[in-house]
Coordinates of all heavy atoms in Angstrom, one line a residue:
S211 N -32.3 -14.1 9.8 CA -31.5 -14.8 8.7 C -30.1 -15.2 9.2 O -29.5 -14.6 10.0 CB -31.3 -13.9 7.6 OG -32.4 -13.6 7.0
V212 N -29.6 -16.4 8.6 CA -28.3 -16.9 8.9 C -27.6 -17.1 7.6 O -28.1 -17.7 6.6 CB -28.4 -18.3 9.6 CG1 -27.1 -18.9 9.8 CG2 -29.2 -18.2 11.0
G213 N -26.4 -16.5 7.6 CA -25.6 -16.5 6.3 C -24.2 -16.0 6.5 O -23.8 -15.8 7.5
G214 N -23.4 -16.0 5.5 CA -22.1 -15.7 5.5 C -21.5 -15.5 4.1 O -22.2 -15.7 3.2
V215 N -20.2 -15.0 4.2 CA -19.5 -14.8 2.9 C -18.1 -15.4 2.9 O -17.5 -15.2 4.0 CB -19.4 -13.3 2.6 CG1 -18.7 -13.0 1.3 CG2 -20.8 -12.6 2.4
V216 N -17.8 -16.2 2.0 CA -16.3 -16.6 1.8 C -15.8 -15.6 0.8 O -16.2 -15.5 -0.3 CB -16.3 -17.9 1.4 CG1 -14.8 -18.4 1.0 CG2 -16.9 -18.9 2.3
R217 N -14.6 -14.8 1.3 CA -14.2 -13.7 0.4 C -12.6 -13.7 0.4 O -12.0 -14.1 1.2 CB -14.8 -12.5 0.8 CG -14.1 -11.4 1.2 CD -14.8 -10.0 1.7 NE -16.2 -10.0 1.8 CZ -17.0 -9.8 2.8 NH1 -16.4 -9.6 4.0 NH2 -18.3 -9.8 2.8
A218 N -12.2 -13.2 -0.8 CA -10.7 -13.0 -1.1 C -10.6 -11.5 -1.5 O -11.4 -11.0 -2.2 CB -10.1 -13.9 -2.1
G219 N -9.5 -10.9 -0.9 CA -9.4 -9.5 -1.2 C -7.8 -9.1 -1.4 O -6.8 -9.9 -1.1
L220 N -7.6 -7.8 -1.8 CA -6.3 -7.2 -1.9 C -6.3 -6.0 -1.0 O -7.3 -5.5 -0.7 CB -6.0 -6.9 -3.4 CG -6.1 -8.0 -4.4 CD1 -6.1 -7.4 -5.8 CD2 -5.0 -8.9 -4.2
R221 N -5.0 -5.6 -0.8 CA -4.8 -4.3 -0.1 C -3.9 -3.4 -0.9 O -2.8 -3.9 -1.4 CB -4.2 -4.5 1.3 CG -5.1 -5.1 2.3 CD -4.5 -5.1 3.6 NE -5.4 -5.6 4.7 CZ -5.2 -5.4 6.0 NH1 -4.1 -4.9 6.4 NH2 -6.2 -5.9 6.9
W222 N -4.2 -2.2 -1.0 CA -3.4 -1.2 -1.8 C -3.4 0.1 -0.9 O -4.5 0.7 -0.5 CB -4.0 -0.9 -3.1 CG -3.3 0.2 -3.8 CD1 -2.1 0.0 -4.5 CD2 -3.6 1.6 -3.9 NE1 -1.7 1.2 -5.0 CE2 -2.6 2.2 -4.7 CE3 -4.7 2.4 -3.5 CZ2 -2.6 3.5 -5.0 CZ3 -4.7 3.7 -3.7 CH2 -3.6 4.3 -4.5
S223 N -2.2 0.5 -0.5 CA -2.1 1.8 0.3 C -1.3 2.8 -0.4 O -0.3 2.5 -1.1 CB -1.3 1.4 1.6 OG -2.1 0.6 2.4
E224 N -1.7 4.1 -0.2 CA -1.0 5.2 -0.8 C -1.2 6.4 0.2 O -2.3 7.0 0.3 CB -1.6 5.6 -2.1 CG -0.9 6.8 -2.8 CD 0.5 6.4 -3.2 OE1 0.8 5.3 -3.6 OE2 1.5 7.2 -3.1
G225 N -0.2 6.6 1.1 CA -0.3 7.6 2.1 C -1.3 7.2 3.2 O -1.3 6.2 3.8
M226 N -2.3 8.1 3.3 CA -3.4 8.1 4.3 C -4.5 7.1 3.8 O -5.4 6.8 4.6 CB -3.9 9.3 4.8 CG -2.9 10.3 5.5 SD -3.5 11.9 6.2 CE -5.1 12.0 5.8
L227 N -4.5 6.8 2.5 CA -5.6 6.1 1.9 C -5.3 4.6 1.7 O -4.3 4.3 1.2 CB -6.0 6.7 0.5 CG -7.2 6.2 -0.2 CD1 -8.5 6.6 0.7 CD2 -7.4 6.8 -1.6
E228 N -6.3 3.8 1.9 CA -6.1 2.3 1.8 C -7.3 1.8 1.1 O -8.5 2.1 1.6 CB -5.8 1.6 3.0 CG -5.6 0.1 2.8 CD -5.2 -0.7 4.1 OE1 -4.6 0.0 5.0 OE2 -5.4 -1.8 4.2
L229 N -7.2 1.0 0.0 CA -8.2 0.4 -0.7 C -8.2 -1.1 -0.6 O -7.1 -1.7 -0.7 CB -8.3 0.8 -2.2 CG -8.4 2.3 -2.5 CD1 -8.3 2.5 -4.0 CD2 -9.7 2.9 -2.0
R230 N -9.3 -1.7 -0.4 CA -9.4 -3.2 -0.2 C -10.5 -3.7 -1.1 O -11.6 -4.0 -0.6 CB -9.6 -3.5 1.3 CG -8.5 -3.1 2.2 CD -8.9 -3.5 3.7 NE -7.9 -2.9 4.6 CZ -8.0 -3.1 5.9 NH1 -9.1 -3.8 6.4 NH2 -7.1 -2.6 6.7
P231 N -10.2 -4.0 -2.4 CA -11.3 -4.6 -3.2 C -11.3 -6.2 -2.8 O -10.4 -6.8 -2.4 CB -10.7 -4.5 -4.5 CG -9.3 -4.3 -4.5 CD -9.1 -3.7 -3.1
S232 N -12.5 -6.7 -3.0 CA -12.7 -8.1 -2.8 C -13.8 -8.7 -3.6 O -14.6 -8.1 -4.1 CB -13.1 -8.3 -1.3 OG -14.4 -7.8 -1.0
I233 N -13.7 -10.1 -3.8 CA -14.7 -10.9 -4.5 C -15.0 -12.1 -3.5 O -14.1 -12.5 -2.8 CB -14.3 -11.3 -5.8 CG1 -13.0 -12.2 -5.7 CG2 -14.1 -10.3 -6.8 CD1 -12.6 -12.9 -7.1
G234 N -16.2 -12.7 -3.7 CA -16.6 -13.7 -2.8 C -17.9 -14.5 -3.2 O -18.4 -14.1 -4.2
L235 N -18.2 -15.4 -2.4 CA -19.5 -16.3 -2.6 C -20.2 -16.0 -1.3 O -19.8 -16.4 -0.2 CB -19.1 -17.7 -2.8 CG -20.3 -18.6 -3.1 CD1 -21.0 -18.3 -4.4 CD2 -20.0 -20.1 -3.0
A236 N -21.4 -15.4 -1.5 CA -22.3 -15.1 -0.3 C -23.4 -16.2 -0.3 O -23.9 -16.7 -1.4 CB -22.9 -13.7 -0.4
A237 N -23.9 -16.4 0.9 CA -24.9 -17.5 1.1 C -25.8 -16.9 2.3 O -25.3 -16.6 3.4 CB -24.5 -18.8 1.3
I238 N -27.1 -17.0 2.2 CA -28.1 -17.0 3.2 C -28.8 -18.3 3.3 O -29.2 -18.8 2.3 CB -29.2 -15.9 3.0 CG1 -28.5 -14.4 3.1 CG2 -30.2 -15.8 4.1 CD1 -29.4 -13.3 2.6
L239 N -28.7 -18.9 4.6 CA -29.1 -20.3 4.7 C -30.4 -20.6 5.4 O -30.9 -21.6 5.4 CB -28.0 -21.1 5.4 CG -26.6 -20.9 4.7 CD1 -25.5 -21.6 5.5 CD2 -26.6 -21.5 3.3
A240 N -30.9 -19.6 6.1 CA -32.2 -19.8 6.8 C -32.9 -18.4 7.0 O -32.2 -17.4 7.3 CB -31.8 -20.4 8.3
P241 N -34.2 -18.4 6.9 CA -35.1 -19.5 6.7 C -35.2 -20.0 5.3 O -35.8 -21.1 5.0 CB -36.5 -18.9 7.2 CG -36.4 -17.5 6.9 CD -34.9 -17.1 7.1
Y242 N -34.7 -19.2 4.4 CA -34.8 -19.7 2.9 C -33.3 -19.6 2.5 O -32.5 -19.0 3.2 CB -35.6 -18.8 2.1 CG -37.1 -18.7 2.5 CD1 -37.5 -17.7 3.3 CD2 -38.0 -19.8 2.3 CE1 -38.9 -17.7 3.7 CE2 -39.3 -19.8 2.6 CZ -39.7 -18.8 3.4 OH -41.1 -18.7 3.8
T243 N -33.0 -20.1 1.3 CA -31.7 -20.0 0.9 C -31.5 -19.1 -0.3 O -32.4 -19.0 -1.3 CB -31.2 -21.5 0.4 OG1 -32.0 -22.0 -0.7 CG2 -31.1 -22.4 1.6
L244 N -30.4 -18.4 -0.3 CA -29.9 -17.6 -1.5 C -28.4 -17.8 -1.5 O -27.7 -17.7 -0.6 CB -30.3 -16.1 -1.3 CG -31.7 -15.7 -1.3 CD1 -31.9 -14.3 -0.7 CD2 -32.3 -15.8 -2.7
V245 N -27.9 -18.0 -2.7 CA -26.5 -18.1 -3.0 C -26.1 -17.4 -4.3 O -26.9 -17.4 -5.3 CB -26.1 -19.6 -3.2 CG1 -24.7 -19.8 -3.4 CG2 -26.5 -20.4 -1.9
G246 N -24.9 -16.7 -4.2 CA -24.4 -15.9 -5.4 C -23.1 -15.2 -5.1 O -22.6 -15.2 -4.0
P247 N -22.6 -14.6 -6.2 CA -21.2 -13.9 -6.0 C -21.4 -12.6 -5.4 O -22.5 -11.9 -5.4 CB -20.9 -13.8 -7.5 CG -22.2 -13.7 -8.3 CD -23.1 -14.6 -7.6
E248 N -20.4 -12.0 -4.9 CA -20.2 -10.8 -4.3 C -19.0 -10.1 -4.7 O -18.0 -10.7 -4.8 CB -20.2 -10.9 -2.7 CG -20.1 -9.6 -2.0 CD -20.0 -9.7 -0.5 OE1 -21.0 -9.6 0.2 OE2 -18.8 -9.7 -0.1
A249 N -19.1 -8.7 -4.8 CA -17.9 -7.9 -5.2 C -18.0 -6.7 -4.2 O -19.1 -6.2 -4.0 CB -17.9 -7.4 -6.6
G250 N -16.9 -6.4 -3.7 CA -16.9 -5.2 -2.7 C -15.7 -4.4 -2.7 O -14.6 -4.7 -3.3
L251 N -15.8 -3.2 -2.0 CA -14.7 -2.3 -1.9 C -14.7 -1.7 -0.5 O -15.9 -1.2 -0.2 CB -14.7 -1.2 -3.0 CG -13.6 -0.2 -2.8 CD1 -12.2 -0.8 -3.0 CD2 -13.8 0.9 -3.8
M252 N -13.7 -1.8 0.2 CA -13.6 -1.1 1.5 C -12.6 0.0 1.4 O -11.4 -0.3 0.8 CB -13.2 -2.1 2.6 CG -13.0 -1.4 4.0 SD -12.5 -2.6 5.3 CE -13.8 -3.6 5.5
T253 N -12.8 1.2 1.7 CA -11.9 2.3 1.8 C -11.7 2.8 3.2 O -12.5 2.9 3.9 CB -12.5 3.5 0.9 OG1 -12.9 2.9 -0.4 CG2 -11.6 4.5 0.7
L254 N -10.4 2.9 3.4 CA -10.0 3.4 4.8 C -9.2 4.7 4.6 O -8.3 4.9 3.8 CB -9.0 2.5 5.5 CG -9.6 1.1 5.9 CD1 -9.7 0.1 4.9 CD2 -8.9 0.6 7.2
L255 N -9.5 5.7 5.4 CA -8.8 7.0 5.5 C -8.2 7.1 6.8 O -8.9 7.1 7.9 CB -9.8 8.1 5.2 CG -9.1 9.5 5.3 CD1 -8.0 9.6 4.3 CD2 -10.2 10.6 5.1
R256 N -6.8 7.0 6.9 CA -6.2 7.0 8.2 C -6.2 8.4 8.7 O -5.6 9.2 8.1 CB -4.8 6.4 8.0 CG -4.8 5.0 7.5 CD -3.9 4.0 8.3 NE -4.2 2.7 7.8 CZ -4.9 1.8 8.3 NH1 -5.5 2.0 9.3 NH2 -4.9 0.5 7.8
I257 N -6.8 8.7 9.9 CA -6.8 10.0 10.3 C -5.8 10.3 11.4 O -5.3 11.5 11.4 CB -8.3 10.4 11.0 CG1 -8.7 9.3 11.9 CG2 -9.2 10.5 9.7 CD1 -10.1 9.7 12.6
A258 N -5.4 9.3 12.2 CA -4.3 9.4 13.2 C -4.1 8.0 13.8 O -5.0 7.4 14.1 CB -4.7 10.4 14.4
P259 N -2.8 7.7 13.7 CA -2.6 6.3 14.3 C -3.1 6.1 15.7 O -3.0 7.1 16.5 CB -1.1 6.2 14.3 CG -0.6 7.2 13.4 CD -1.6 8.3 13.4
P260 N -3.9 5.1 16.0 CA -4.2 4.0 15.2 C -5.6 3.9 14.6 O -6.2 3.0 14.3 CB -4.2 2.8 16.2 CG -4.7 3.5 17.5 CD -4.3 4.9 17.4
L261 N -6.2 5.1 14.3 CA -7.5 5.3 13.9 C -7.7 5.5 12.4 O -6.9 6.2 11.8 CB -8.3 6.5 14.5 CG -8.4 6.3 16.1 CD1 -9.0 7.7 16.8 CD2 -9.3 5.3 16.5
A262 N -8.8 4.9 11.8 CA -9.1 5.1 10.4 C -10.7 5.2 10.3 O -11.3 4.5 11.0 CB -8.4 3.9 9.6
I263 N -11.1 6.0 9.3 CA -12.5 6.1 9.0 C -12.7 5.0 7.9 O -11.9 5.0 6.9 CB -12.9 7.5 8.6 CG1 -12.8 8.4 9.7 CG2 -14.3 7.5 8.0 CD1 -12.9 10.0 9.3
V264 N -13.7 4.1 7.9 CA -13.9 3.1 7.0 C -15.3 3.3 6.4 O -16.3 3.5 7.0 CB -13.9 1.8 7.8 CG1 -14.1 0.6 6.8 CG2 -12.6 1.5 8.6
V265 N -15.3 3.0 5.0 CA -16.5 3.0 4.2 C -16.5 1.7 3.4 O -15.5 1.5 2.7 CB -16.7 4.3 3.2 CG1 -18.0 4.2 2.4 CG2 -16.7 5.6 4.2
Q266 N -17.6 1.0 3.4 CA -17.5 -0.3 2.7 C -18.9 -0.4 1.9 O -19.9 -0.1 2.4 CB -17.4 -1.5 3.6 CG -17.4 -2.8 3.0 CD -17.4 -4.0 3.9 OE1 -17.4 -3.7 5.1 NE2 -17.2 -5.1 3.4
V267 N -18.7 -0.9 0.7 CA -19.9 -1.1 -0.3 C -19.7 -2.6 -0.8 O -18.5 -2.9 -1.2 CB -19.9 -0.2 -1.4 CG1 -21.0 -0.5 -2.4 CG2 -20.1 1.3 -0.9
A268 N -20.8 -3.3 -0.8 CA -20.7 -4.6 -1.4 C -22.0 -4.8 -2.3 O -23.1 -4.3 -1.9 CB -20.6 -5.7 -0.3
V269 N -21.8 -5.6 -3.4 CA -22.8 -5.9 -4.3 C -23.0 -7.3 -4.4 O -22.0 -8.1 -4.8 CB -22.7 -5.3 -5.7 CG1 -23.8 -5.7 -6.6 CG2 -22.5 -3.7 -5.5
D270 N -24.2 -7.9 -4.0 CA -24.4 -9.4 -4.1 C -25.4 -9.6 -5.3 O -26.4 -8.9 -5.4 CB -25.1 -9.9 -2.8 CG -24.0 -9.6 -1.7 OD1 -23.0 -10.4 -1.6 OD2 -24.4 -8.8 -0.8
G271 N -25.0 -10.7 -6.1 CA -26.0 -11.2 -7.0 C -26.6 -12.5 -6.6 O -25.8 -13.4 -6.7
W272 N -27.8 -12.7 -6.2 CA -28.4 -13.9 -5.8 C -28.9 -14.6 -7.0 O -29.9 -14.2 -7.6 CB -29.6 -13.6 -4.8 CG -29.0 -12.8 -3.6 CD1 -29.5 -11.5 -3.3 CD2 -28.1 -13.3 -2.6 NE1 -28.8 -11.2 -2.1 CE2 -28.0 -12.2 -1.7 CE3 -27.4 -14.4 -2.3 CZ2 -27.2 -12.3 -0.6 CZ3 -26.6 -14.5 -1.2 CH2 -26.5 -13.4 -0.4
L273 N -28.2 -15.6 -7.4 CA -28.5 -16.3 -8.6 C -29.2 -17.7 -8.4 O -29.9 -18.2 -9.3 CB -27.2 -16.6 -9.5 CG -26.4 -15.4 -9.8 CD1 -25.2 -15.8 -10.5 CD2 -27.2 -14.5 -10.6
F274 N -29.0 -18.3 -7.1 CA -29.6 -19.6 -6.8 C -30.3 -19.5 -5.5 O -29.9 -18.7 -4.6 CB -28.4 -20.6 -6.8 CG -27.6 -20.7 -8.0 CD1 -26.4 -20.1 -7.9 CD2 -28.0 -21.3 -9.1 CE1 -25.5 -20.1 -9.0 CE2 -27.2 -21.3 -10.2 CZ -25.9 -20.7 -10.2
G275 N -31.3 -20.3 -5.3 CA -32.0 -20.5 -4.0 C -33.4 -20.7 -4.0 O -34.1 -20.4 -5.0
S276 N -33.9 -21.1 -2.8 CA -35.4 -21.4 -2.7 C -36.2 -20.2 -2.5 O -37.4 -20.3 -2.7 CB -35.5 -22.3 -1.5 OG -35.2 -21.6 -0.2
D277 N -35.6 -19.0 -2.4 CA -36.4 -17.7 -2.1 C -36.4 -16.9 -3.5 O -36.9 -15.8 -3.4 CB -35.7 -16.9 -1.1 CG -36.7 -15.9 -0.4 OD1 -37.9 -16.1 -0.4 OD2 -36.3 -14.8 0.3
L278 N -36.1 -17.5 -4.6 CA -36.1 -16.9 -5.8 C -37.3 -17.4 -6.7 O -37.6 -18.7 -6.6 CB -34.8 -17.0 -6.7 CG -33.7 -16.3 -6.1 CD1 -32.4 -16.7 -7.0 CD2 -33.8 -14.9 -6.1
V279 N -38.0 -16.6 -7.4 CA -39.0 -17.0 -8.3 C -38.2 -17.7 -9.4 O -37.2 -17.2 -9.9 CB -39.7 -15.9 -8.9 CG1 -40.7 -16.3 -10.0 CG2 -40.6 -15.2 -7.7
P280 N -38.6 -18.9 -10.0 CA -37.9 -19.5 -11.1 C -37.6 -18.6 -12.3 O -38.5 -17.8 -12.7 CB -38.8 -20.8 -11.4 CG -39.5 -20.9 -10.2 CD -39.8 -19.7 -9.6
G281 N -36.4 -18.7 -12.8 CA -36.0 -17.8 -13.9 C -35.6 -16.4 -13.5 O -35.5 -15.5 -14.4
T282 N -35.6 -16.0 -12.3 CA -35.2 -14.7 -11.7 C -33.8 -14.7 -11.0 O -33.4 -15.6 -10.6 CB -36.3 -14.1 -11.0 OG1 -36.4 -14.8 -9.7 CG2 -37.6 -14.0 -11.7
A283 N -33.4 -13.5 -10.8 CA -32.2 -13.3 -9.9 C -32.5 -11.9 -9.1 O -33.2 -11.1 -9.5 CB -30.9 -13.2 -10.6
L284 N -31.7 -11.8 -8.0 CA -31.8 -10.6 -7.2 C -30.5 -9.9 -7.1 O -29.5 -10.7 -7.1 CB -32.4 -10.9 -5.8 CG -33.7 -11.3 -5.7 CD1 -34.0 -11.8 -4.2 CD2 -34.8 -10.3 -6.0
V285 N -30.4 -8.5 -6.9 CA -29.2 -7.8 -6.8 C -29.4 -7.1 -5.4 O -30.4 -6.5 -5.2 CB -28.8 -6.9 -7.9 CG1 -27.6 -6.1 -7.5 CG2 -28.6 -7.6 -9.2
M286 N -28.4 -7.2 -4.5 CA -28.5 -6.5 -3.3 C -27.3 -5.7 -3.1 O -26.2 -6.1 -3.3 CB -28.6 -7.5 -2.0 CG -28.7 -6.8 -0.8 SD -29.1 -7.9 0.5 CE -27.6 -8.9 0.6
V287 N -27.4 -4.4 -2.7 CA -26.3 -3.5 -2.4 C -26.2 -3.2 -1.0 O -27.3 -2.7 -0.4 CB -26.4 -2.2 -3.2 CG1 -25.3 -1.3 -3.0 CG2 -26.5 -2.5 -4.8
N288 N -25.1 -3.4 -0.3 CA -24.9 -3.1 1.0 C -23.9 -2.0 1.3 O -22.9 -2.0 0.6 CB -24.5 -4.4 1.9 CG -25.6 -5.4 1.9 OD1 -26.6 -5.2 2.3 ND2 -25.2 -6.7 1.3
G289 N -24.2 -1.2 2.3 CA -23.1 -0.2 2.6 C -23.0 -0.2 4.1 O -23.8 -0.4 4.8
A290 N -21.7 0.3 4.5 CA -21.5 0.4 5.9 C -20.4 1.5 6.2 O -19.6 1.7 5.3 CB -21.0 -0.9 6.6
G291 N -20.4 2.0 7.3 CA -19.4 3.0 7.6 C -19.0 2.8 9.2 O -19.8 2.2 9.9
G292 N -17.7 3.1 9.6 CA -17.3 3.0 10.8 C -15.9 3.5 11.1 O -15.4 4.3 10.2
V293 N -15.4 3.1 12.2 CA -14.0 3.4 12.6 C -13.2 2.2 12.9 O -13.6 1.2 13.5 CB -14.0 4.3 13.8 CG1 -12.6 4.6 14.3 CG2 -14.8 5.7 13.6
E294 N -12.0 2.1 12.3 CA -11.1 0.9 12.5 C -10.0 1.4 13.6 O -9.4 2.5 13.4 CB -10.5 0.5 11.3 CG -9.5 -0.7 11.5 CD -8.9 -1.2 10.2 OE1 -9.6 -2.1 9.6 OE2 -7.7 -0.8 9.9
V295 N -9.7 0.5 14.5 CA -8.6 0.8 15.4 C -7.6 -0.3 15.3 O -7.9 -1.4 15.5 CB -9.2 0.8 16.9 CG1 -8.1 1.1 17.9 CG2 -10.3 1.8 17.1
S296 N -6.4 0.1 14.9 CA -5.5 -0.9 14.6 C -4.7 -1.1 16.0 O -4.2 -0.1 16.6 CB -4.4 -0.5 13.5 OG -5.1 -0.3 12.4
L297 N -4.5 -2.3 16.3 CA -3.8 -2.6 17.6 C -2.5 -3.0 17.4 O -2.1 -3.7 16.5 CB -4.7 -3.6 18.5 CG -6.1 -3.3 18.8 CD1 -6.7 -4.4 19.5 CD2 -6.0 -2.0 19.7

């Protein structure tokens, strides 16, 4: 699949915790098309400079596209985890 997300977000920090909520427009363009809104939240727990543990959750609502049965929509939930290194 080929796709992407155009997204805007905020950053809120309190001590070792940082929250990054976001909204956007997601699209999958090949081999079929799906387009719809996305809402997400990334949480960072700073463990020691420059390292942070990262957990991200995003929910996509596919409302338009050639891969949908007419009159239907899809919801997709994605999650990821990792480590951020600030340079």
